[in-house]
Each structure stands twice: as C-alpha cells, then as structure tokens.
Amino acid sequence: MSDDLKKGLEGVLVAESELSSIDGDAGRLIYRGYTIEDLARGASYEEVLYLLWHGHLPTADELEPFTDALLAEREVDDDVLATMERLAAADEQPMAALRTAVSMFSASEPEDDADPGDLEATLRKGRRITAKIPTALAAFERYRLGEEPVDPNPDLGLAANFLYMLTGEEPDEIAAETFDQALILHADHGLNASTFTSMVIGSTMADIYSAVTGGISALSGPLHGGANQDVMEVLIEIDESDLDHREWVEQATEEGRRIPGFGHRVYNVKDPRAKILQERSKELAENGEDKWYNYTTTIEQYLSEEKGLTEKGIAPNVDFYSGSVYYQLGIPIDMYTPIFAMSRAGGWIAHVLEYQAENRLIRPRARYTGPQDQEFVPLEDR
C-alpha cells in the first residue's frame, strides 16, 4: 500500500468509467465517445440523458417513451411547493432550497421499498429526480417574485419547459435551443468534486436521493460551482463603471484582480464548452443586446493575447460564457449554480448507476500526524 500523499486526490485513479473523457491539452470532451460539439449541436438534452443512462443514443422509437416518462414525472407534491414558498419567504439561498427539495422528493417515491441493489429501480428514481428538479427550482423563483408557480407544459422539452415555468412565457426558438445546449454542456465532466461526492454516497448503497442531495451540497461550494455567477457580477461591474470595458480590464489586471472564468483544473487550453457558448452568446447578441458579448470577447482577447494567459495554460472555461448567456436569457444570477445542478444531476445519476454495477465501498485512508503514546489522565486529575 503506497504511502504517497495525494492532497485532493490529485491524479489518483479511483474508478473506471465509460461516461465521459477529458483531454485537457487538446481541449476535448466526449460523452460515451461522442464529442461535446456533435452532441450540443445535434442532440437534445433528453437524448444526452438517454445516452448517459443507457449507453447509446436513442432511436426515435426509444426516445419517445423515454421523453414521455420524464414528462409524466414533472409535477411535485404540494408539500414541496409549500416548502419552496416558505424558503423563498425566508430569503433562503437557491442551492439550499434545491438541496431541500430533492431530499423531500423521496417522501413521495413510489418505489421507496426497492432493494438498494435494484439498479433499474434506482434509474427510475433518478428519472423522477431529474424531471422534478426544474419544477421545484422554477417554483422557488416564482415565489421569490411574489408569483404563483407555473404548471409544467407537456408540449415543451425539459429546457424550454424550465424557461416557461420560470417566466410564464414560452421561450423563442433561439432561447430554447441555447438553454438546451447549456444543459448538455454541463451534464457530465469526469470525476469532479460533486460527481465524486455522489459516487462516494452511492458506494454505501444509500439511495439515489441521498447521492444527488450530496452532489448538490458539493456543488454549492465556491471552489466548485458559482464561477459563472462571479463572471456575470464582474460584467455588471464593468457596465456600471465609468470606464470603457477595455480600460476596465486593463486597470483591473494592473491592480492584481483575478478575472473569474479563466483557468480550469483540467483544461490547459480553451474549454470546448466555452467555445460553443461563445457562439450562442454571439447569436443572442445579434438578436438582442450585444454589450455582454462585447465585454466577454474583449476580456478574452486582452487576457489571452496581451497578457499571455493562454500560453501559460490559463484559458476561458465554460463559466466565462455561460454567465452572460444565462443573463441574456433573463435568468437571475443566483440561479446559475442551481441550473448547473439541474443539468449535472443526470451525470451524477449515471455515475452512481455505473459504479454500483460493480460496487466497492469507497474508503480512502489518511496518514496520521498526531501525537503518540499519550498518557491518559482521569478527569478528576486533569
């Protein structure tokens, strides 16, 4: 047994997976062999869920019942809605509200007595979670606005339906396609912190509700989720300043400020997901307000070319463009990370199912660095 210390489990292989692969030097991401570019531009989020959960892209005959099953599970219990209303009134953080909602979903689980090793039952539970998250999340936002929740629209796909429930209006084609692509891009990404957390929980054969709740908890930390929110807050700061956006970024870097959305734990080049969202940001700008796209492209050009960050392996990641894309879609800034969770839940579920198929309890060890041979003193003599 090796005594080499790998803080943060950096580079430690703990599992084998057929789900996703990342080449950080080439800027390549694949789901089950398909490039993220092909999936984002040619498939729907529902198709990608099917791919992750079943191992292949669905035929039309396979996709229809799969989509119908998701549609049938969208509604949430009144108790969940009442809790979302109370949490909104208490000014709870959206990620905390989502964590509570997913935990509550299990109370209405029709297969709560299923054997933990019944992976087909676990998959059906995961499908229910995935279908219900958008409904609970949209309801929370509506309550924050003092509005009643909007019922799911069975004629809309998962992405378009979420935007509809959020705003009360059906999104146009560009908005629906853009958000669908964003969900695909965030669906899976190797053994990141939240995915690994879900796997650790799943390895105990705890139920999938516990695993997804744990994933949400891990994603809520600022070192994992939330960078796209930070990016958008910077862009708003630029917009509200007296400086031209080029002057702002020059001054900020001279002052030693770190611009969020640059650099990634895995990628040494531009994140392939960022490239796709940059295209969508440009398309949204051409059909609406273009300043957010102009700000991001100017910052990228300055930091990459004039500051040489790309040569140092520090390039735009997916958060750098997802923040402005979500803002252009009218999504509240503090909902960005919950949307990340809404998408990534599909990946968490896939990884738990894959790991439990040949399960082994995940149990690493720590090197003890405390004192030795302490002499015990009874309480009355201390």
Side-chain angles (χ1 to χ4, degrees):
M1 187 177 292
S2 174
D3 285 327
D4 292 341
L5 179 63
K6 298 284 188 178
K7 284 215 168 183
L9 298 181
E10 182 80 29
V12 176
L13 285 172
V14 298
E16 293 181 326
S17 177
E18 297 180 356
L19 293 170
S20 64
S21 175
I22 307 160
D23 185 333
D25 295 324
R28 177 178 166 84
L29 170 62
I30 61 172
Y31 295 170
R32 292 194 182 273
Y34 295 95
T35 69
I36 195 62
E37 291 84 0
D38 285 346
L39 292 173
R41 293 168 181 146
S44 66
Y45 180 62
E46 285 86 345
E47 289 176 78
V48 169
L49 283 178
Y50 192 100
L51 171 67
L52 291 174
W53 293 351
H54 295 285
H56 65 275
L57 285 171
T59 64
D61 288 340
E62 290 171 327
L63 182 61
E64 183 177 359
F66 179 78
T67 301
D68 288 345
L70 283 167
L71 286 171
E73 303 286 2
R74 283 179 175 176
E75 292 188 4
V76 300
D77 279 2
D78 289 342
D79 287 346
V80 174
L81 293 177
T83 299
M84 293 301 98
E85 185 173 19
R86 288 196 296 271
L87 292 176
D91 200 27
E92 178 63 283
Q93 294 296 313
M95 278 296 278
L98 179 59
R99 180 189 65 214
T100 299
V102 172
S103 185
M104 287 188 69
F105 290 165
S106 67
S108 59
E109 171 53 56
E111 298 183 86
D112 61 342
D113 59 348
D115 188 284
D118 185 345
L119 298 187
E120 289 299 320
T122 297
L123 177 55
R124 290 190 292 271
K125 293 177 183 180
R127 184 183 68 211
R128 295 180 187 111
I129 293 170
T130 304
K132 294 178 189 302
I133 283 177
T135 308
L137 199 53
F140 175 77
E141 174 58 20
R142 297 287 293 180
Y143 284 130
R144 288 203 301 179
L145 296 174
E147 304 283 349
E148 286 298 307
V150 176
D151 292 334
N153 186 335
D155 296 325
L156 298 176
L158 191 147
N161 180 61
F162 175 74
L163 295 178
Y164 167 71
M165 291 190 297
L166 197 68
T167 65
E169 298 180 2
E170 288 192 26
D172 61 33
E173 185 176 349
I174 293 176
E177 288 181 357
T178 298
F179 191 61
D180 192 71
Q181 277 193 335
L183 295 181
I184 291 170
L185 297 176
H186 288 87
D188 196 44
H189 207 246
L191 293 194
N192 52 82
S194 56
T195 298
F196 186 61
T197 298
S198 297
M199 283 177 54
V200 170
I201 295 170
S203 79
T204 72
M205 300 308 291
D207 68 18
I208 194 67
Y209 292 95
S210 299
V212 173
T213 301
I216 292 169
S217 300
L219 187 61
S220 69
L223 294 185
H224 188 9
N228 49 11
Q229 179 175 337
D230 296 338
V231 170
M232 197 60 228
E233 289 172 350
V234 164
L235 297 180
I236 292 173
E237 183 181 342
I238 293 173
D239 192 53
E240 294 176 347
S241 76
D242 296 327
L243 299 175
D244 173 84
H245 52 283
R246 168 70 180 227
E247 296 173 335
W248 187 95
V249 70
E250 290 177 353
Q251 179 175 305
T253 54
E254 288 173 2
E255 293 173 352
R257 286 189 60 175
R258 179 183 174 276
I259 306 300
F262 267 71
H264 194 279
R265 185 75 172 262
V266 179
Y267 294 109
N268 300 313
V269 295
K270 188 171 181 177
D271 189 329
R273 301 168 299 173
K275 294 178 182 179
I276 296 169
L277 285 177
Q278 183 179 15
E279 295 171 3
R280 301 307 303 203
S281 179
K282 182 178 181 180
E283 187 171 357
L284 289 169
E286 291 170 348
N287 291 274
E289 199 169 35
D290 64 359
K291 62 182 179 181
W292 308 113
Y293 175 75
N294 293 336
Y295 293 166
T296 51
T297 52
T298 296
I299 292 172
E300 178 181 353
Q301 182 181 30
Y302 178 77
L303 294 179
S304 298
E305 297 177 8
E306 299 197 28
K307 286 296 185 179
L309 291 190
T310 302
E311 295 177 359
K312 300 174 183 177
I314 304 173
N317 59 45
V318 66
D319 297 311
F320 187 68
Y321 280 99
S322 65
S324 58
V325 164
Y326 291 159
Y327 197 81
Q328 288 169 283
L329 293 175
I331 297 171
I333 294 175
D334 64 355
M335 294 288 280
Y336 293 177
T337 306
I339 286 170
F340 188 167
M342 182 170 74
S343 169
R344 185 58 60 81
W348 295 333
I349 292 161
H351 277 276
V352 170
L353 288 165
E354 182 182 55
Y355 191 82
Q356 286 184 338
E358 297 183 19
N359 194 70
R360 182 174 176 81
L361 178 67
I362 297 174
R363 206 298 191 186
R365 64 191 184 99
R367 178 186 296 154
Y368 179 70
T369 59
Q372 301 280 355
D373 302 321
Q374 293 273 59
E375 183 178 348
F376 178 77
V377 179
L379 179 62
E380 60 271 16
D381 296 332
R382 291 179 215 157

